[in-house]
Amino acid sequence: MIKKAVIPAAGLGTRFLPATKAQPKEMLPIIDTPTIQFVVQEAVDSGIDDILIVSGKGKRAIEDHFDRNQELESILQEKQDEDAYNAVRHIGDMANIHYIRQKELNGLGDAISYGRQHVGNEAFAVLLGDTIIDSIIPVTQQLIDLYEQYNQSVVAVEEVPQEIVFRYGVIGGKKLTDTLWQVTEMVEKPDVDKSPSNLAFAGRYILTPEIFQALEDTPPGKNNELQLTDAMIRMGEFQSIYAHRIEGKRYDIGNKLDYLKTMVEFGLKRKEFADELMGFLKNIVKS
Ligand code: UTP
């Protein structure tokens, strides 16, 4: 049973400056809902009730968002604005959320290593705080189902165009089913012509607790940061790692163009906006 998740959300978000100068990129809203709320909801929908958010400097808004705001709640009650009240109350009750501060921004692997004490000796989920995945079955649940079958780490991957593999961590492996690989190779940001595949990490992982020792034993890698991929390579020497091609669509909020696309797609999914937004977009295209 996977009951705990770590959500790394301490990064600087330099690709989204200046918006992220004084606010966390994980709080960038998709219409009216901050990105990290979608991420927490995915964890909760996957049966996880204990979440550790790795936060850092300038990330207070995340803590405030998941806290109760009784003043706001009573104002909404007085105004009899039931929808807004329920939405606000729901956030405060989503899960048991804990926080830990990453003292120096030494990379994703370093951020996850801060989960060691909280997670203890059990497998856990990792969900990147700046990545939303829209799917029928929550992707974390898809990974948990496989973990329960194989009892080994399972990472989410998605196919990306070959010419942009250099932006991602990529796996190579033995194909077991249409959507499952046994990983034999992992490379962080490979050269396009040397990449083992076009299956890129999709921001969701189930990791066995051995990852913490592997992180401790792994030296800093690219950009002098502790890379999760390097630690997984080390862990892969002792145990199998599986990769699951996700059934769902990934949205990387940390990159401006993807953020814009996400906003449009999510707008079109909302009943109250769909028709007008589509008309607006058609007019733009026409002119
Ligand atoms: P990214 O590499 O996309 O985040 O990490 P970043 O470093 O903020 O991005 P840029 O390149 O400067 O724009 C993916 C997730 O891991 C977290 C980030 O907050 C993000 O949610 N992260 C990254 C940490 O928690 N700590 C780190 O040291 C690095």
Side-chain angles (χ1 to χ4, degrees):
M1 287 274 266
I2 305 282
K3 283 286 164 203
K4 290 183 182 168
V6 174
I7 300 182
L12 279 180
T14 53
R15 286 169 297 154
F16 222 118
L17 284 167
T20 46
K21 180 168 177 255
Q23 65 167 335
K25 73 169 157 182
E26 294 79 7
M27 284 299 293
L28 289 170
I30 305 304
I31 307 172
D32 51 8
T33 304
T35 298
I36 195 162
Q37 189 179 325
F38 286 97
V39 178
V40 168
Q41 188 68 53
E42 180 189 324
V44 170
D45 290 344
S46 304
I48 286 168
D49 57 13
D50 180 326
I51 294 172
L52 179 71
I53 295 182
V54 183
S55 108
K57 199 164 176 281
K59 302 277 182 172
R60 271 295 299 275
I62 297 178
E63 291 178 39
D64 289 343
H65 183 70
F66 289 108
D67 202 359
R68 291 273 306 271
N69 182 339
Q70 279 167 344
E71 195 185 342
L72 176 62
E73 285 172 19
S74 30
I75 291 170
L76 293 172
Q77 263 178 323
E78 268 164 40
K79 283 173 63 181
Q80 297 185 335
D81 188 343
E82 215 176 308
D83 288 349
Y85 173 79
N86 289 335
V88 164
R89 258 317 293 263
H90 162 72
I91 300 164
D93 291 339
M94 282 176 89
N96 290 320
I97 303 184
H98 310 265
Y99 299 90
I100 191 162
R101 280 170 80 96
Q102 187 183 13
K103 294 196 183 89
E104 280 178 49
L105 294 179
N106 288 331
L108 177 59
D110 179 62
I112 289 167
S113 72
Y114 277 77
R116 189 170 199 164
Q117 210 174 356
H118 188 86
V119 167
N121 197 26
E122 51 187 285
F124 63 105
V126 171
L127 298 88
L128 298 193
D130 63 350
T131 300
I132 296 174
I133 304 182
D134 190 29
S135 60
I136 296 167
I137 300 171
V139 166
T140 298
Q141 180 69 62
Q142 295 174 25
L143 301 184
I144 290 175
D145 292 345
L146 288 162
Y147 170 77
E148 281 172 358
Q149 210 175 324
Y150 292 92
N151 257 295
Q152 304 284 356
S153 296
V154 191
V155 302
V157 293
E158 64 166 357
E159 282 184 28
V160 298
Q162 186 71 29
E163 62 275 16
I164 57 164
V165 286
F166 65 89
R167 291 193 205 152
Y168 299 91
V170 173
I171 65 126
K174 189 170 137 212
K175 192 167 183 178
L176 302 178
T177 70
D178 250 9
T179 53
L180 189 70
W181 282 259
Q182 182 156 14
V183 177
T184 53
E185 215 181 324
M186 287 173 269
V187 198
E188 197 50 48
K189 304 191 170 52
D191 292 337
V192 171
D193 51 346
K194 292 200 189 108
S195 182
S197 75
N198 66 340
L199 293 166
F201 292 125
R204 301 290 187 264
Y205 311 76
I206 302 295
L207 298 171
T208 55
E210 288 77 16
I211 194 65
F212 293 118
Q213 193 55 49
L215 283 163
E216 197 176 313
D217 296 339
T218 302
K222 273 202 177 143
N223 302 330
N224 210 24
E225 290 181 342
L226 180 49
Q227 300 285 348
L228 176 62
T229 307
D230 291 344
M232 286 198 299
I233 293 170
R234 188 173 280 262
M235 187 171 73
E237 289 168 15
F238 306 103
Q239 52 176 255
S240 301
I241 296 177
Y242 293 89
H244 165 65
R245 191 177 65 213
I246 59 170
E247 287 152 48
K249 186 158 183 199
R250 188 178 68 91
Y251 299 89
D252 176 7
I253 306 307
N255 130 6
K256 290 175 190 174
L257 184 59
D258 275 11
Y259 178 68
L260 212 66
K261 291 180 186 169
T262 309
M263 196 79 98
V264 173
E265 282 200 32
F266 277 61
L268 291 172
K269 284 183 224 263
R270 291 270 290 257
K271 261 198 230 119
E272 71 266 48
F273 305 130
D275 290 346
E276 263 196 66
L277 182 59
M278 183 54 94
F280 172 76
L281 293 171
K282 280 183 179 157
N283 274 339
I284 292 182
V285 173
K286 248 193 256 158
S287 62

